[in-house]
Amino acid sequence: MLTAAPTATRQILQTQDLTVSFDGFKALDRLNFSLEEGELRVVIGPNGAGKTTFLDVLTGKVKPTRGRVLFKGKDLTKLKEHEISILGVGRKFQTPRVYQNLSVRENLELSLNPDKRVFSTLLGKKHLREKTDALLETIGLSRKDRVSAGLLSHGEKQWLEIGMVIAQDPDLLLLDECVAGMTDKETEATGELIQSLAQSHTILVIEHDMVFVRQIARKVTVLHQGSVLCEGTFEDVKNDPRVIEVYLGSHKAKN
Ligand code: ADP
Ligand code: MG
């Protein structure tokens, strides 16, 4: 009789020897990183560690000098940005990219329905409305659905944009320092939003704000000079002498 194999966790993302040189300077240096399906991972590291460059390579904005990025087993390194996005990598940028003059609802509808024909029937319209309502609920903006996006607070715009990325149903959601410039209250609400999204999405968060990292962190990866310095729980990495050293070092360099 066949017995069921233990359910193996599947790797959704893996980088192998990933290197990015800018005129000889290695922003990423043989980075080996992997992420399992369903994970919520936080990547931290001092300024200049290579965090943004890492996301830029994952999304195809920057091409690696050497190494590979495997997403669901497929090599992304030769693909264009829009091809990577179609494969299921969704990125929320640091600065909001919402349509200021459209309402919150209209912004979400556009992301859910870039091709108007699909939802043009009566049933289709009802379906679109229901999907939009559910997204509004998720991002906590149900009561502001008719407000122009341009009138939202900084934090609310960020939530709207997270909603717009989720609307595209990505298999991997990338968030780059999304709480920068938010109030403490907005930051905390964003943490709750990310934790609720993590129940049904694989999420990679690049972050600087340590209070926020503590709130959402499960496994943390510390980047330093373009490669992985260490990985572990928030407490593990916070107390790791190598991490303390690189953070103090970058602080000293700034002052
Ligand atoms: P982080 O997001 O961790 O602060 P970045 O990925 O933005 O770090 O940058 C890593 C390093 O690469 C920095 O030293 C930065 O100056 C350098 N760098 C980033 N982008 C470029 C570029 N387009 N040209 C030259 N150097 C760059
Ligand atoms: Mg950065």
Side-chain angles (χ1 to χ4, degrees):
M1 202 173 82
L2 284 174
T3 49
T7 29
T9 36
R10 252 187 356 138
Q11 254 176 23
I12 188 166
L13 180 73
Q14 189 182 33
T15 72
Q16 297 168 343
D17 279 340
L18 196 63
T19 302
V20 173
S21 290
F22 294 117
D23 299 325
F25 173 80
K26 286 178 179 161
L28 293 184
D29 192 2
R30 293 181 165 229
L31 176 67
N32 290 299
F33 173 91
S34 69
L35 186 70
E36 280 168 11
E37 208 171 276
E39 253 196 85
L40 164 59
R41 180 77 63 90
V42 182
V43 174
I44 63 170
N47 269 326
K51 302 182 297 295
T52 300
T53 306
F54 180 39
L55 289 197
D56 286 344
V57 182
L58 298 183
T59 54
K61 191 175 167 205
V62 165
K63 291 292 163 203
T65 319
R66 63 174 283 179
R68 297 203 300 170
V69 176
L70 298 173
F71 174 65
K72 296 190 283 188
K74 195 175 264 175
D75 189 1
L76 298 186
T77 35
K78 300 275 182 310
L79 301 182
K80 299 200 168 68
E81 276 187 272
H82 73 274
E83 293 169 327
I84 293 174
S85 158
I86 289 167
L87 278 180
V89 178
R91 178 181 194 174
K92 154 82 187 71
F93 283 87
Q94 247 168 298
T95 40
R97 298 178 166 192
V98 299
Y99 295 99
Q100 307 277 342
N101 297 325
L102 297 184
S103 72
V104 169
R105 177 177 290 277
E106 286 163 341
N107 268 287
L108 289 172
E109 281 176 355
L110 270 181
S111 302
L112 279 166
N113 181 27
D115 179 356
K116 288 228 165 6
R117 283 166 303 181
V118 180
F119 290 103
S120 62
T121 61
L122 212 55
L123 197 64
K125 281 182 186 146
K126 180 169 174 277
H127 193 62
L128 179 62
R129 194 163 57 241
E130 285 168 359
K131 282 185 110 165
T132 311
D133 286 343
L135 264 179
L136 283 163
E137 180 83 32
T138 303
I139 59 174
L141 291 178
S142 301
R143 293 202 306 193
K144 299 215 168 175
D145 69 327
R146 288 171 204 285
V147 174
S148 290
L151 297 176
L152 296 176
S153 75
H154 172 71
E156 289 166 340
K157 271 185 204 159
Q158 302 282 332
W159 301 333
L160 173 55
E161 207 186 339
I162 290 175
M164 290 165 70
V165 182
I166 292 295
Q168 291 153 28
D169 201 17
D171 295 319
L172 172 63
L173 174 62
L174 307 173
L175 299 170
D176 194 1
E177 295 192 22
C178 59
V179 299
M182 282 191 189
T183 63
D184 290 352
K185 225 175 135 188
E186 287 173 337
T187 300
E188 200 182 331
T190 305
E192 283 162 16
L193 170 59
I194 291 175
Q195 281 171 315
S196 90
L197 291 175
Q199 291 169 14
S200 49
H201 295 82
T202 310
I203 307 182
L204 177 57
V205 180
I206 300 283
E207 202 39 76
H208 215 71
D209 181 324
M210 285 303 159
V211 177
F212 181 65
V213 173
R214 181 197 297 266
Q215 186 193 345
I216 64 165
R218 295 175 192 171
K219 187 169 174 183
V220 179
T221 299
V222 184
L223 271 194
H224 176 53
Q225 297 180 343
S227 39
V228 173
L229 182 69
C230 65
E231 282 181 338
T233 64
F234 181 75
E235 288 300 314
D236 287 343
V237 302
K238 194 187 72 161
N239 296 319
D240 189 313
R242 293 169 300 174
V243 176
I244 296 168
E245 176 71 31
V246 301
Y247 270 92
L248 282 179
S250 79
H251 188 67
K252 272 189 214 141
K254 258 192 288 174
N255 292 304

